[in-house]
Amino acid sequence: MAAGPYNYSYIFKYIIIGDMGVGKSCLLHQFTEKKFMADCPHTIGVEFGTRIIEVSGQKIKLQIWDTAGQERFRAVTRSYYRGAAGALMVYDITRRSTYNHLSSWLTDARNLTNPNTVIFLIGNKSDLEAQRDVTYEEAKQFADENECSAKTGDNVEDAFLDTAKKIYQNIQDGSLDLNAAESGVQHKPATPRNPLNTDQTPSKEGCAC
Amino acid sequence: MERIINDIVEPEDLKKYELLYNDQTRRGHASDKAQFDYAWCLVRSKYLEDMKRGVALFEDLIRRAKDDIERRDYLYYMSIGYTKIKEYQQALTYVKALLKIEPNNYQALELEKYIEKKMKKEGIMGIAIVSGAVLALGGLIGLGVAMSKK
Ligand SMILES: Nc1nc2c(ncn2[C@@H]2O[C@H](COP(=O)(O)OP(=O)(O)OP(=O)(O)O)[C@@H](O)[C@H]2O)c(=O)[nH]1
Ligand SMILES: [Mg+2]
C-alpha cells in the first residue's frame, strides 16, 4: 500500500446533495464499501469518502463530500459546493416532497458551483417499487436521471461512474479548464498531502481501494 | 476522518459568519443559528485561538440545547474541536456522550477511533482510560465549567 505516491492520474471532487433521508450517506457507503447501513442516523454536517475508479483507462480518485440534508446544516454544507466537479442530486422515489424540492437544490448547485460542474440526478430506493411516488417518466422529463438502490446496490456504480465519464469528456474536449481555480479536478498533484501510510485503519478515507 | 479533521474553513466563510454573529450580538442577542454557524467556522479555522473560541461557543449552545438532536450536533463539533486542539481527553468524553445518544452513529464511531489512535500515538492513553469512562450527559455541564476555568 505504501508503493508509489500515486496510483491515479486525476482527482475529481464530488458533492452529494438532496433532502434528508433520501439515502445520500447510504449511497456513499454502498459505493465506497459495498455495504448497506439499514439504520443510518442523519449526517452531522458532512461525511467524506474516497474511491479510485477507472474511466477510459485513466485511474481517477473520487473525493466525495456527502452533505447533511437537514435544514439547520444548510450554511455548513453550502461551503462544500465550491469547486465540485460533480454534484449528485438525490431524491427518494417513494417520497414526492423530496422530488418537489429538487428545483431548490438545483438552484443552489447552479449558484454555488461553476458552469462546468456536472449535475447528475438520482432517484434512490428503487427497490421499493410498491411505494413508488414519482414515476420514472416524470423524472426523466425534469432531467436525465438514473434510478438506483443504495440497499441492493443496483445502479449505484453507474451513477458515480457516469458522472465521472462526463467530467472526463469535458476535460478531453477542452470545455473544462483544469487550470481554473475551482474546476474541481486536479491532475496528478506534485506532492502528496497525506502520505498513504499514515492512516492504518481501513476506513473509507484510508484509500485501501 | 483525517480529511474531516484537517478540513480548513474558507476565510470568506469565516468572515461572513463572524460579521453576522457580531452584528446580532451588538444588537442584543445572537440567535442560536448565528452562533452555530460561526462556531462551526471557528472550529475549522487554522488558528488555535479561533478553535478554542469555537469550542467555547458550542459549550454555551449545549447548555441551552432543547433536545438530544441538537445536543448530538454540538457534541460532535466539540469533539472535533478538541481533537484539533489536541486535548484528546475532552474530545473523547464528548464523542462518548454522543455515542450514548446514538450508539450506531458512524461519524462518531470513526471519530472515536481516530482520537484513540492519536492518543496512543502521543502516549497519553493511561489517564484517558480512567476518565474516558462514559459520562452521564448531566455531568457534561459541570465538566464544561471545570474546563473553561483552565
Ligand atoms: N429501502 C431502501 N432504503 C434506503 C435506501 N437508501 C437509504 N435507505 C434508508 O433510508 C434512510 C435514510 O438514509 P440516509 O443515507 O441516512 O439518508 P441521507 O440522505 O444521508 O440523510 P441526511 O444525512 O439526513 O441528509 C436509512 O434508514 C436507510 O436505511 C434504499 O436504496 N432502499
Ligand atoms: Mg446522510
Side-chain angles (χ1 to χ4, degrees):
Chain A
M1 179 163 163
Y6 294 111
N7 42 359
Y8 49 87
S9 33
Y10 289 93
I11 299 174
F12 291 176
K13 174 182 169 178
Y14 277 22
I15 51 169
I16 311 181
I17 57 175
D19 276 12
M20 65 182 194
V22 298
K24 297 180 296 296
S25 301
C26 288
L27 285 168
L28 174 67
H29 288 278
Q30 181 61 255
F31 182 65
T32 57
E33 296 164 82
K34 308 226 175 342
K35 270 198 308 218
F36 176 65
M37 318 235 288
D39 207 10
C40 198
H42 290 298
T43 301
I44 309 171
V46 288
E47 282 193 66
F48 180 76
T50 66
R51 196 180 129 184
I52 294 175
I53 55 163
E54 199 172 306
V55 171
S56 312
Q58 296 280 343
K59 289 256 198 308
I60 297 167
K61 181 176 185 173
L62 300 183
Q63 295 187 331
I64 308 154
W65 293 94
D66 161 37
T67 65
Q70 288 179 302
E71 180 61 36
R72 67 175 180 286
F73 288 113
R74 212 44 53 84
V76 172
T77 54
R78 276 201 176 114
S79 68
Y80 291 90
Y81 285 61
R82 228 177 257 128
L88 305 184
M89 197 167 68
V90 188
Y91 71 97
D92 176 347
I93 66 155
T94 70
R95 275 193 298 145
R96 173 157 285 275
S97 63
T98 68
Y99 176 79
N100 292 341
H101 292 155
L102 287 175
S103 58
S104 98
W105 287 109
L106 185 63
T107 308
D108 261 12
R110 283 275 170 246
N111 289 341
L112 300 166
T113 61
N114 64 67
N116 284 308
T117 301
V118 172
I119 301 175
F120 199 90
L121 183 64
I122 297 177
N124 188 38
K125 309 198 186 180
S126 64
D127 56 292
L128 300 176
E129 188 56 46
Q131 286 149 258
R132 179 186 284 277
D133 205 13
V134 181
T135 66
Y136 179 70
E137 290 69 30
E138 182 182 0
K140 201 81 192 166
Q141 279 185 346
F142 177 72
D144 234 7
E145 75 140 2
N146 193 331
E147 284 193 352
C148 67
S149 166
K151 184 173 182 181
T152 63
D154 236 26
N155 266 332
V156 172
E157 293 276 318
D158 288 343
F160 286 86
L161 286 178
D162 288 355
T163 307
K165 280 181 199 152
K166 187 81 180 74
I167 297 167
Y168 189 68
Q169 199 183 335
N170 287 349
I171 297 171
Q172 294 303 297
D173 68 23
S175 56
L176 183 69
D177 178 6
L178 289 187
N179 298 317
E182 296 186 346
S183 70
V185 174
Q186 280 171 267
H187 195 204
K188 217 170 185 155
T191 48
R193 257 202 271 158
N194 290 320
L196 288 172
N197 49 2
T198 52
D199 200 338
Q200 294 129 2
T201 44
S203 74
K204 48 195 169 117
E205 299 181 29
C207 183
C209 4
Chain B
M1 206 66 231
E2 192 90 40
R3 191 68 171 77
I4 296 281
I5 299 290
N6 295 332
D7 189 36
I8 304 286
V9 67
E10 295 280 339
E12 58 186 277
D13 280 342
L14 178 55
K15 203 171 281 166
K16 178 174 154 196
Y17 292 108
E18 178 167 36
L19 277 175
L20 261 168
Y21 176 79
N22 286 341
D23 207 47
Q24 293 192 5
T25 308
R26 235 191 328 271
R27 274 186 279 156
H29 178 73
S31 67
D32 283 0
K33 177 164 173 36
Q35 184 165 336
F36 175 79
D37 291 346
Y38 178 40
W40 168 79
C41 288
L42 286 169
V43 163
R44 290 164 60 252
S45 164
K46 280 192 285 207
Y47 305 104
L48 188 66
E49 284 312 306
D50 284 352
M51 297 174 206
K52 287 186 171 164
R53 183 158 159 68
V55 168
L57 287 178
F58 279 120
E59 263 163 18
D60 180 51
L61 281 170
I62 209 167
R63 251 169 244 148
R64 279 183 273 137
K66 286 182 290 293
D67 51 31
D68 277 353
I69 305 206
E70 272 184 35
R71 233 165 260 136
R72 173 196 88 129
D73 301 344
Y74 304 149
L75 288 170
Y76 181 71
Y77 285 117
M78 281 161 81
S79 184
I80 297 247
Y82 277 118
T83 304
K84 292 187 61 176
I85 299 169
K86 296 192 190 298
E87 291 191 24
Y88 299 120
Q89 186 60 68
Q90 278 90 325
L92 201 59
T93 306
Y94 288 121
V95 82
K96 282 187 190 298
L98 197 172
L99 283 167
K100 251 197 133 172
I101 299 174
E102 279 180 356
N104 298 324
N105 189 300
Y106 187 83
Q107 290 174 284
L109 289 168
E110 288 289 299
L111 180 57
E112 184 188 36
K113 249 195 283 176
Y114 180 84
I115 297 166
E116 282 172 348
K117 202 178 70 191
K118 283 282 179 188
M119 287 178 122
K120 212 175 263 170
K121 229 185 206 162
E122 303 182 16
I124 46 176
M125 204 57 190
I127 183 170
I129 291 167
V130 182
S131 44
V134 183
L135 242 118
L137 259 175
L140 273 180
I141 295 163
L143 186 80
V145 174
M147 282 186 307
S148 53
K149 267 193 264 175
K150 266 207 217 169

